[in-house]
């Protein structure tokens, strides 16, 4: 559905060997925890923007937006997922309806459909109109932060490596 944003960093060989030695001395859990926090900090502006753009009808969709980071051992890379949760206590099943919208349709019922309309007026009808206009919040956020997030991640990782390298020497 959405294009993934990939980040890569390049080092020259002399720097790489010193950095690799420093990282090998460091416990894996420390590096993993710190890089996860760097990723979350890098995605923070996008997280705030996405929450502000999310429709606020009940507030559940806004609460469901989260930044999840984890290290994938299969692909040996960091994965960051920013968007509505589909599992857990603050999940939202309707995020795709809000993002993409639902085509309006009219249906007729066998009996009368009664509801309160504008101004608390009782309305009786045989036609029911359903549909939701699209209110995009994921795509505009992705388009806005696509170029800045990789630089924020590189800057955070660079600062972490320099800090750890200074501890080692």
């Amino acid at each position: 559905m959405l294009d993934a944003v990939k980040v890569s960093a390049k080092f020259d060989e002399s720097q790489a060997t010193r950095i690799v030695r420093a990282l090998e001395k460091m416990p894996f859990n420390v590096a993993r925890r710190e890089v996860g926090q760097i990723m979350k900090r890098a995605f923070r502006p996008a997280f705030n923007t996405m929450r502000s753009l999310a429709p606020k009808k009940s507030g559940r969709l806004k609460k469901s937006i989260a930044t999840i980071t984890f290290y994938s051992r299969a692909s040996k890379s960091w994965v960051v997922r920013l968007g509505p949760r589909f599992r857990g206590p603050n999940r939202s099943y309707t995020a795709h309806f809000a993002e993409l919208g639902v085509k309006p349709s009219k249906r007729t019922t066998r009996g009368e459909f009664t509801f309160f309309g504008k101004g608390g007026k009782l309305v009786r009808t045989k036609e029911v109109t359903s549909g939701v206009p699209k209110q995009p919040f994921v795509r505009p956020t992705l388009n806005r932060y696509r170029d800045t997030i990789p630089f924020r991640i590189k800057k955070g990782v660079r600062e972490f490596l320099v800090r750890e390298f200074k501890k080692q020497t």
Side-chain angles (χ1 to χ4, degrees):
M1 185 168 114
L2 297 175
D3 301 329
V5 178
K6 294 201 176 199
V7 179
S8 63
K10 294 182 182 178
F11 303 103
D12 63 0
E13 291 180 28
S14 62
Q15 283 181 334
T17 54
R18 289 173 27 198
I19 291 169
V20 167
R21 269 192 245 124
L23 285 173
E24 285 175 353
K25 290 179 184 176
M26 187 186 327
F28 180 71
N29 287 342
V30 172
R32 184 175 63 187
R33 193 176 327 118
E34 186 65 31
V35 172
Q37 291 301 316
I38 289 167
M39 299 287 225
K40 280 191 176 184
R41 273 187 245 121
F43 275 80
R44 196 66 175 170
F47 170 80
N48 292 335
T49 302
M50 191 178 290
R51 285 191 85 169
S52 68
L53 292 176
K56 298 168 188 72
K57 190 169 186 176
S58 69
R60 187 168 184 104
L61 177 57
K62 186 177 177 180
K63 287 178 194 170
S64 76
I65 295 172
T67 306
I68 300 165
T69 62
F70 59 93
Y71 182 78
S72 172
R73 290 184 181 173
S75 64
K76 295 184 179 179
S77 64
W78 283 93
V79 178
V80 180
R81 186 185 179 284
L82 171 65
R85 287 185 219 137
F86 297 105
R87 293 185 184 149
N90 288 330
R91 64 183 173 263
S92 173
Y93 296 117
T94 60
H96 57 288
F97 294 129
E99 176 75 16
L100 304 172
V102 178
K103 183 179 174 184
S105 64
K106 287 189 175 185
R107 295 183 309 202
T108 56
T109 59
R110 291 183 185 155
E112 284 189 337
F113 187 71
T114 308
F115 62 95
F116 290 101
K118 292 181 183 175
K121 203 177 195 183
L122 191 63
V123 178
R124 295 173 198 258
T125 182
K126 289 191 175 199
E127 280 192 352
V128 179
T129 306
S130 62
V132 177
K134 65 180 180 176
Q135 299 172 340
F137 61 99
V138 176
R139 179 67 69 175
T141 304
L142 176 68
N143 292 339
R144 182 173 175 185
Y145 290 99
R146 174 174 279 172
D147 298 330
T148 59
I149 287 177
F151 292 112
R152 291 175 59 89
I153 293 171
K154 285 179 186 178
K155 181 183 173 193
V157 170
R158 189 180 309 119
E159 289 171 356
F160 167 66
L161 291 175
V162 167
R163 191 171 60 242
E164 287 301 315
F165 188 71
K166 285 181 180 177
K167 285 181 186 177
Q168 298 292 329
T169 56

